[in-house]
Amino acid sequence: MTGRWVNTPEPYVNFNATPTGQVPTLFNPQELRSSISIFAGEDELLDIAIQVQGESDAFGWNNDAYLCPDWRNPTKRLVPGRYIVEIMVISSGRKHRDWFRLENDGFFELGQPTPEQRAMLRRRPLA
């Protein structure tokens, strides 16, 4: 899944009722960016998941979520559990990746994988 850069403009979507349900109409598709320029020494935040307070499921978060009436993309549902998240950034033709541990088991938290998990993950080839 492609993440969503926090500081990119949000798309403007209107939902129209049809006999088969809500149909989204995107008014500014040029704002849906999957890549941005980050200059040396700068950083940018990347959204990857959300959890609505009071709900047990979390959801992967990216631009596709704006096309869902409740911003919860059912194809990106994260039921309660623990997940390993791989983040890959491509810069100047080179791939850089790291892993994070996403906890969704009563407490929603993003953290570092254990040393054992990290050692196992580093052996995986770059996609």
Side-chain angles (χ1 to χ4, degrees):
M1 165 186 108
T2 300
R4 184 177 197 297
W5 295 103
V6 173
N7 291 321
T8 57
E10 290 188 351
Y12 176 67
V13 180
N14 187 38
F15 288 90
N16 301 304
T18 69
T20 58
Q22 299 281 330
V23 175
T25 303
L26 181 61
F27 287 95
N28 58 343
Q30 72 279 3
E31 301 296 357
L32 297 179
R33 299 180 192 151
S34 60
S35 64
I36 60 171
S37 296
I38 304 172
F39 299 101
E42 294 184 358
D43 54 37
E44 289 287 338
L45 296 175
L46 178 68
D47 281 336
I48 58 163
I50 63 164
Q51 184 184 44
V52 176
Q53 188 171 2
E55 295 182 10
S56 61
D57 290 348
F59 293 85
W61 181 256
N62 63 9
N63 286 327
D64 295 343
Y66 289 99
L67 302 177
C68 299
D70 60 1
W71 288 5
R72 293 165 185 82
N73 187 336
T75 67
K76 306 292 188 260
R77 182 179 306 272
L78 300 168
V79 297
R82 295 179 180 173
Y83 299 86
I84 296 293
V85 178
E86 178 182 23
I87 303 293
M88 182 181 299
V89 175
I90 301 171
S91 174
S92 300
R94 296 186 59 202
K95 295 179 181 181
H96 307 273
R97 71 178 179 179
D98 203 352
W99 297 272
F100 298 88
R101 177 184 37 81
L102 178 65
E103 303 259 349
N104 181 30
D105 54 359
F107 186 72
F108 189 69
E109 177 183 49
L110 187 67
Q112 294 295 319
T114 65
E116 295 81 18
Q117 290 169 329
R118 186 171 288 282
M120 179 188 70
L121 293 165
R122 286 194 190 279
R123 292 191 292 269
R124 294 182 53 217
L126 283 173

